[in-house]
């Protein structure tokens, strides 16, 4: 399969099967925004659950947070985003289209378009373009004040550092986890959901003692933990790699940075960034808010501003990369070989024939019962082969068919998405079978 084909196929599958739609589509769309449909929202929810389980529930000293999207504008002054959160922008002097100056392949493509028309594209000098998205808040027209939709979810955690200290009394090192929306006025959104203007992040901010060795140990541990997470959820290991940032490409807050990258059809791209933020956030918020954001270590009797090691992943990027990674074609069959934890449905239930009430009744009884424990789909349309294929295409790991034999001996056929193998098992054994095969508590 051609690499560009794969991207087109995923975009088409997402639309056709209810995973992801263009934002505000009936009004011609809104560039850089995407809406998750019935199956996409299930998959996204599953992905966030999987992250929360690994990064919060299974670890000690990790606390959750869910901060407001709109924040006092001073937050963004303190964090450095109003001054430094920008990309270099250039404008084509011929058609006035704007691009990121550092995306050479896109600039070359644009120059090529002009060349075809025997024109020579010329660019303006790069200028800094701030990525924060503004909103106006207030009830009196003319007196509304500017607020920013958060450009990273991170600051909602750091401004609550003292609240978490005072309410939970954590011992350093400890972490605060958050999943939520972020907004960026991206100059060139593109590659489907890869670069959007509204997207979700999943982040762990770890507070450590101000000690380089300790900080780098946490940095390395988090790097490996994040890589393992993608692999444990079935992503092809050979398509994952680390990429350390050179000092001149690091964000304004980072003292060290490393990305987890995935090999997409459009090249190696960042899924997630691990950053050593030093004392940047807490020192700046101390300075700008006038509040004491230091930590007192009861054991050593020292007071200090903790350093921060963060891991920040994109939920939408992870969904896209897992979809790309899971896509297979076998003859006419299209399969999403998604890890069961991520699959929108874990099992589908079919009556063999739609017009036999005794089969439909028995199948519905089983379906309603299974739904209490597993995300389950119902399908009674068309022939059974087509129904299997339709479930393969959305990644459902198992399909259960109720046929005439079920009415006699209370057994069903259960079919495996990946092997297409069918087994006959008793209705009473289905839940245990699925629990064992899926290997998840879903
Ligand atoms: N708090 C650090 C931070 O925000 P970042 O590298 O700018 O770091 C972290 O973003 C992650 O958020 C990225 O690795 C990516 O997965 C996701 N992300 C960033 N910009 C995005 C965009 N425009 N569209 C989709 N995801 C994006």
């Amino acid at each position: 399969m051609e690499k560009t084909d794969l991207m087109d196929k995923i975009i088409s599958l997402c639309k056709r099967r209810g995973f992801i739609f263009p934002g505000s589509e009936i009004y011609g769309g809104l560039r850089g925004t995407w809406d998750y449909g019935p199956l996409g929202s299930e998959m996204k929810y599953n992905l966030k659950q999987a992250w929360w389980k690994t990064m919060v529930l299974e670890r000690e000293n990790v606390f959750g947070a869910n901060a407001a999207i709109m924040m006092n504008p001073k937050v963004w002054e303190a964090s450095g985003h109003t001054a430094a959160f920008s990309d270099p922008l250039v404008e084509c002097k011929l058609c006035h289209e704007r691009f990121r100056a550092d995306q050479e392949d896109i600039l070359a493509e644009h120059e090529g378009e002009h060349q075809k028309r025997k024109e020579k594209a010329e660019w303006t000098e790069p200028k800094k373009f701030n990525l924060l998205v503004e909103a106006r808040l207030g009830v009196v027209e003319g007196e509304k004040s500017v607020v920013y939709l958060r450009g990273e979810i991170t600051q909602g955690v750091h401004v609550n550092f003292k609240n978490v200290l005072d309410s939970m009394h954590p011992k350093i090192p400890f972490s605060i986890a958050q999943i939520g929306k972020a907004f960026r006025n991206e100059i060139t959104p593109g590659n489907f959901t890869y670069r959007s203007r509204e997207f979700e992040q999943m982040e762990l901010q770890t507070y450590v003692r101000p000690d380089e060795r300790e900080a780098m140990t946490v940095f390395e541990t988090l790097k490996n933990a994040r890589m393992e997470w993608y692999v444990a959820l079935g992503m092809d290991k050979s398509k994952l790699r680390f990429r350390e940032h050179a000092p001149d490409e690091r964000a304004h807050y980072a003292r060290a940075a490393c990305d987890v990258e995935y090999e997409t059809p459009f090249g190696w791209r960042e899924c997630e960034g691990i950053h050593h933020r030093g004392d940047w956030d807490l020192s700046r918020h101390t300075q700008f808010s006038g509040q004491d954001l230091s930590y007192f270590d009861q054991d050593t009797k020292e007071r200090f501003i903790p350093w921060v090691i963060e891991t920040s992943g994109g939920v939408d990027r992870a969904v896209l990369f897992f979809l790309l990674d899971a896509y297979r074609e076998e003859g006419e069959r299209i399969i999403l070989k998604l890890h069961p934890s991520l699959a929108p449905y874990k099992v589908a239930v079919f009556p063999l024939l739609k017009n036999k009430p005794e089969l439909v009744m028995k199948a519905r009884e089983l379906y309603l019962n299974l739904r209490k424990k597993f995300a389950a789909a119902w399908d009674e349309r068309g022939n059974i082969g087509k129904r299997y294929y339709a479930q393969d295409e959305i990644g459902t790991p198992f399909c259960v068919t109720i046929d005439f034999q079920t009415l006699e001996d209370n057994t069903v056929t259960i079919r495996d998405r990946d092997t297409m193998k069918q087994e006959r098992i008793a209705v009473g054994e289905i839940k245990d079978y699925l629990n064992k095969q899926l290997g998840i508590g879903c």
Side-chain angles (χ1 to χ4, degrees):
M1 198 186 321
E2 284 291 315
K3 284 184 166 184
T4 44
D5 270 10
L6 173 59
M7 203 57 191
D8 290 343
K9 283 174 178 173
I10 287 294
I11 295 170
S12 146
L13 189 153
C14 281
K15 172 96 164 89
R16 196 173 65 248
R17 300 304 311 271
F19 279 81
I20 304 172
F21 311 126
S24 316
E25 193 179 13
I26 60 168
Y27 290 102
L30 178 68
R31 198 165 167 224
T33 66
W34 299 93
D35 296 340
Y36 286 73
L39 300 195
S41 49
E42 290 293 339
M43 182 177 168
K44 200 179 197 195
Y45 174 77
N46 293 343
L47 186 129
K48 291 190 278 185
Q49 288 282 98
W51 186 90
W52 199 263
K53 184 167 175 288
T54 309
M55 301 308 291
V56 184
L57 303 180
E58 291 177 5
R59 295 161 70 97
E60 262 191 316
N61 286 333
V62 183
F63 305 93
N66 191 342
I69 285 174
M70 292 186 290
M71 302 180 80
N72 189 314
K74 282 192 191 147
V75 169
W76 303 107
E77 272 176 54
S79 69
H81 282 73
T82 33
F85 192 48
S86 54
D87 279 336
L89 177 145
V90 286
E91 187 174 308
C92 170
K93 288 184 181 171
L94 286 177
C95 64
H96 303 291
E97 218 177 316
R98 294 170 160 202
F99 297 92
R100 260 176 71 166
D102 55 353
Q103 291 180 333
E104 279 154 27
D105 45 344
I106 297 179
L107 296 184
E109 198 181 310
H110 187 77
E111 285 168 8
E113 292 296 318
H114 280 298
Q115 258 165 20
K116 278 188 216 153
R117 297 196 289 271
K118 310 257 181 284
E119 296 163 349
K120 185 168 174 347
E122 280 186 51
W123 302 104
T124 56
E125 281 303 309
K127 63 176 182 204
K128 281 187 177 173
F129 177 78
N130 193 284
L131 301 184
L132 286 176
V133 177
E134 277 180 23
R136 286 183 176 271
L137 206 60
V139 286
V140 182
E141 209 46 61
E143 288 179 24
K144 290 184 180 173
S145 53
V146 169
V147 293
Y148 298 105
L149 304 185
R150 60 187 180 192
E152 60 170 7
I153 64 171
T154 325
Q155 299 309 324
V157 165
H158 296 315
V159 298
N160 280 296
F161 176 74
K162 191 166 164 11
N163 282 332
V164 175
L165 279 192
D166 294 346
S167 56
M168 306 305 290
H169 313 288
K171 241 179 121 124
I172 214 156
F174 68 93
S175 312
I176 304 182
Q178 181 174 217
I179 300 179
K181 292 252 182 178
F183 303 81
R184 292 182 191 177
N185 203 352
E186 294 285 357
I187 299 167
T188 39
N191 286 322
F192 195 26
T193 57
Y194 173 77
R195 192 175 301 286
S196 310
R197 288 181 167 147
E198 172 176 341
F199 54 94
E200 262 182 291
Q201 294 183 310
M202 40 195 185
E203 286 192 350
L204 192 78
Q205 305 292 324
T206 301
Y207 297 97
V208 300
R209 298 171 55 80
D211 175 278
E212 198 58 44
R213 251 181 73 178
E214 211 172 305
M216 285 315 287
T217 307
V218 173
F219 184 87
E220 289 302 321
T221 309
L222 273 180
K223 258 173 65 179
N224 294 326
R226 294 309 302 143
M227 179 65 92
E228 277 165 26
W229 184 80
Y230 290 98
V231 175
L233 284 175
M235 206 173 257
D236 181 349
K237 212 174 174 173
S238 70
K239 291 194 167 172
L240 284 162
R241 71 176 187 193
F242 289 122
R243 192 180 71 81
E244 302 285 342
H245 282 211
D248 62 348
E249 59 170 326
R250 286 180 205 148
H252 62 273
Y253 48 74
R255 292 162 71 143
C258 177
D259 291 341
V260 177
E261 288 191 335
Y262 177 75
E263 191 179 16
T264 72
F266 43 95
W268 284 95
R269 288 291 187 280
E270 172 186 346
C271 322
E272 175 145 359
I274 297 96
H275 306 124
H276 177 345
R277 298 177 73 114
D279 68 351
W280 170 263
D281 302 279
L282 293 182
S283 289
R284 295 277 293 190
H285 286 306
T286 300
Q287 188 189 332
F288 280 70
S289 70
Q291 303 279 322
D292 177 8
L293 300 182
S294 63
Y295 174 89
F296 182 70
D297 191 326
Q298 297 286 355
D299 296 338
T300 61
K301 308 291 179 220
E302 286 171 288
R303 184 170 282 286
F304 51 81
I305 297 274
W307 287 2
V308 172
I309 308 296
E310 79 168 352
T311 178
S312 175
V315 176
D316 309 83
R317 279 191 193 175
V319 167
L320 174 60
F321 295 169
F322 276 114
L323 286 171
L324 288 166
D325 204 67
Y327 187 91
R328 305 278 189 289
E329 286 176 4
E330 290 176 7
E332 283 188 4
R333 200 163 82 101
I334 294 173
I335 318 143
L336 280 186
K337 291 201 173 179
L338 289 172
H339 188 280
S341 306
L342 300 180
Y345 299 122
K346 314 306 171 194
V347 59
V349 180
F350 313 145
L352 181 66
L353 298 168
K354 180 182 169 182
N355 57 2
K356 295 285 172 201
E358 61 278 32
L359 292 182
V360 174
M361 226 167 72
K362 183 83 187 160
R364 279 206 70 78
E365 188 190 319
L366 175 65
Y367 165 66
L368 294 174
N369 189 334
L370 285 179
R371 274 180 73 118
K372 293 183 188 149
K373 193 139 181 17
F374 306 97
W378 170 264
D379 193 1
E380 55 181 24
R381 297 163 307 165
N383 72 46
I384 211 82
K386 280 200 177 139
R387 283 186 248 167
Y388 284 147
Y389 277 26
Q391 293 299 323
D392 291 341
E393 200 185 24
I394 58 171
T396 310
F398 291 99
C399 294
V400 172
T401 304
I402 276 68
D403 55 19
F404 291 104
Q405 194 181 325
T406 314
L407 303 178
E408 283 167 23
D409 64 5
N410 221 20
T411 63
V412 294
T413 51
I414 189 156
R415 172 194 178 267
D416 182 306
R417 173 195 74 196
D418 297 342
T419 61
M420 291 198 287
K421 224 179 85 196
Q422 298 189 18
E423 281 183 70
R424 192 109 210 148
I425 64 169
V427 167
E429 287 169 17
I430 299 176
K431 280 189 184 163
D432 280 349
Y433 181 96
L434 288 174
N435 269 332
K436 194 163 152 231
Q437 298 287 330
L438 295 169
I440 45 170
C442 50

